[in-house]
Amino acid sequence: MTDVEPHPVFERKGDNFYVKLPVTIPEAALGAKVEVPTIDGPSTIKIPPGTQSGQKLRLRGKGAPSLRGTPGEVRGDQFVEVQVVVPKVADERTKEILRELARLNPEDPRAEMRKVAV
């Protein structure tokens, strides 16, 4: 039996790799092109506008070579889980901007939970 140390960035499941990608609130809300590590080196991924924390994106063919296919032909995919990072609010100006954002976007993310009878 072979023991393999866990990688600090990649998790492997079969032929696929999984990575968690931290993004800023503006990147998630507005969309962005960001660099993500792959086993082949850095690659660019498009974060669609309105991306939520936990959402998964796929990079086709960026996984491990398949042991079942012809060598060099078939590779798994890399799945990127977006993790929206909330900034630490250190000054009053940032607080003002966040309060204004809340006023301009009054949606309640917990509204659906209130509809469920307990």
Side-chain angles (χ1 to χ4, degrees):
M1 183 165 131
T2 303
D3 288 329
V4 178
E5 290 290 320
H7 192 276
V9 175
F10 302 103
E11 180 181 348
R12 182 175 179 171
K13 294 180 185 172
D15 296 338
N16 298 323
F17 288 125
Y18 294 79
V19 65
K20 294 181 180 182
L21 180 69
V23 299
T24 65
I25 289 174
E27 289 171 332
L30 302 173
K33 289 183 180 178
V34 298
E35 196 172 270
V36 61
T38 73
I39 61 166
D40 299 322
S43 188
T44 301
I45 191 168
K46 183 178 178 188
I47 306 295
T51 296
Q52 300 296 311
S53 201
Q55 191 168 332
K56 291 180 180 64
L57 306 171
R58 179 168 54 179
L59 292 170
R60 292 183 190 273
K62 293 292 185 178
S66 176
L67 299 176
R68 289 171 260 145
T70 305
E73 272 188 26
V74 181
R75 288 182 67 171
D77 297 326
Q78 179 170 317
F79 292 90
V80 178
E81 181 180 334
V82 174
Q83 293 185 324
V84 178
V85 178
V86 178
K88 292 181 176 79
V89 180
D91 60 71
E92 197 55 41
R93 177 73 177 125
T94 303
K95 289 179 186 178
E96 289 172 23
I97 291 169
L98 290 171
R99 287 184 190 114
E100 180 67 13
L101 179 64
R103 280 192 294 276
L104 293 172
N105 296 281
E107 68 263 353
D108 181 356
R110 294 170 298 281
E112 289 296 316
M113 293 177 78
R114 290 188 197 94
K115 293 179 183 179
V116 178
V118 180

